[in-house]
Amino acid sequence: MESTLIYVLFGAFFLLLVLGAPIAVSLAVAALATYLTLGENPLAFVQMAFTSVGAFPLMALPAFILAGALMEAAGISKRLVDIAEAFAGPMTGGLGAATIFACMFFGAISGSGPATTAAVGMLMIPAMAKRGYNKGYASAVTASSGGLGVVIPPSIPMVIFGISGMGLQPPPEAVALHGSFQTLSIPKLFIAGVVPGIVMASFLLLVNYVISRKKGYRGLSDTWSFSDIKTALRKGVWSMLAPIIILGGIYTGLFTPTESAIVAIVYTLIVGVFLHKELLLKSALRTLETTTWITGRVLLILFTATVFGRLLVENRVPAIIADSMLGFTDNTYLIWAMIIFFLLFVGMFMETLAAIMILTPVLLPIMYMLGMDPVHVGIVVVCSLAIGFQTPPLGENLFVASGIGGASIEEISIKALPFAAASITAVFVIAYFPQLSLWLPSLMGY
């Protein structure tokens, strides 16, 4: 009976995907078909799904989306880009480096890959093209570094991983083997993402430098201008304070991630309306429309993915996969490699948030059996899936960058390959050295 349920669950899911049904519909129909096969009351399906979208931490999702959209409309993202450009100066590949830094800054506000790519790309892709950069390369740098938006905290995928993983207790067998595990929390995930984000950005900066040196790409000026840096910092001081206030409040325990998102919205409204005076009613209403559309799509997936994941756990699918993997090898490095390549493959075809909600109930029990810290697992999962933003056929960042720069998806994809390779290498470094993720949380008492 157990194997029949698995065939019904996965068979219906993959069949509907092949037929072109949306992921939310595929998940819902597959889960409902399994419930009916079990002979259970379908009302339990609806009650479980409804409970999943009532979690308090989930309020951070629409709030961070709105905060990111408002900051772009309020001119905060433009000033962050100006600061990055001023510091890049004449260095080889300076504008490419400025793009990567700008994505890090904006990622510390928005928590979204496509939003980061759009906000930074609107300013940087035309600027790079004007300075002689190939349009395809300019778009590739932006699309690749836009993925930092979900690694540098606050991160919407980390919120989703935290919500998906907090309800999964370590299996008794794992506790017997490895002792008690550290708790999983969204603030801890945010803190853990800082160093891995810097690691991934460093690899991207290295690739940008090597390619730019070969192509002869330079920055905006012939020398560093301290007056330009001073001017950019003076104009962008309120923009620089945004990530400091958001992250500082979370790290010091002054407010929760959900509360920090509300603080970000209020701060942006004050800066945009009274200080920058660039946030107009029309653009503010447009940000509400964007937030509603994105949030509705994500919640619909979460609604159905929660039930799908619960069925996986109840039918011991993660335990079966864990047993087969451990039967194949008990080498931690090899298991990490298999999981990373699997996540990279999934990220090519599936939207990041949907992948996290579906895979967390499968992967987390497996990693518990290996004695892995759940926070470290979450960081590796988010970093691996973030690469999917820059790899076809899904590659949301590629489409955003193509729409801005005008280069074809094919050209951008080819020029993004070195950056994808660098990002994959960075993910392996992060996976194989857990302290890169766990050092900062332990330093701050988590």
Side-chain angles (χ1 to χ4, degrees), residues 368-444:
Y368 274 134
M369 291 300 295
L370 293 169
M372 294 294 172
D373 188 290
V375 172
H376 176 53
V377 174
I379 297 301
V380 176
V381 168
V382 171
C383 289
S384 300
L385 291 173
I387 299 172
F389 284 117
Q390 68 189 72
T391 53
L394 186 62
E396 293 171 84
N397 288 3
L398 297 176
F399 289 97
V400 173
S402 175
I404 295 169
S408 68
I409 297 292
E410 292 78 12
E411 183 184 0
I412 300 172
S413 300
I414 291 169
K415 294 189 182 300
L417 285 176
F419 294 100
S423 297
I424 292 169
T425 305
V427 169
F428 273 95
V429 171
I430 294 163
Y432 289 169
F433 297 94
Q435 284 308 308
L436 290 172
S437 303
L438 304 177
W439 169 74
L440 193 57
S442 64
L443 188 68
M444 300 189 71

Side-chain angles (χ1 to χ4, degrees), residues 2 5-6 9-10 31 34-35 38 40 48 163-173 304-322 356-366 368:
E2 192 175 88
L5 292 176
I6 293 172
L9 188 65
F10 283 103
T34 307
Y35 260 85
L38 286 167
E40 294 188 12
M48 192 187 303
I163 293 168
S164 303
M166 281 189 288
L168 296 171
Q169 296 302 316
E173 304 96 311
T304 53
T306 300
V307 185
F308 191 91
R310 180 72 65 86
L311 284 167
L312 289 176
V313 173
E314 288 177 354
N315 289 282
R316 298 189 72 255
V317 174
I320 294 167
I321 296 173
I356 289 172
M357 288 182 274
I358 295 168
L359 295 177
T360 299
V362 177
L363 292 178
L364 203 52
I366 295 171
Y368 274 134

Side-chain angles (χ1 to χ4, degrees), residues 258-275:
T258 304
E259 293 164 347
S260 75
I262 307 303
V263 171
I265 291 170
V266 175
Y267 179 83
T268 305
L269 289 171
I270 293 170
V271 172
V273 175
F274 298 108
L275 299 174

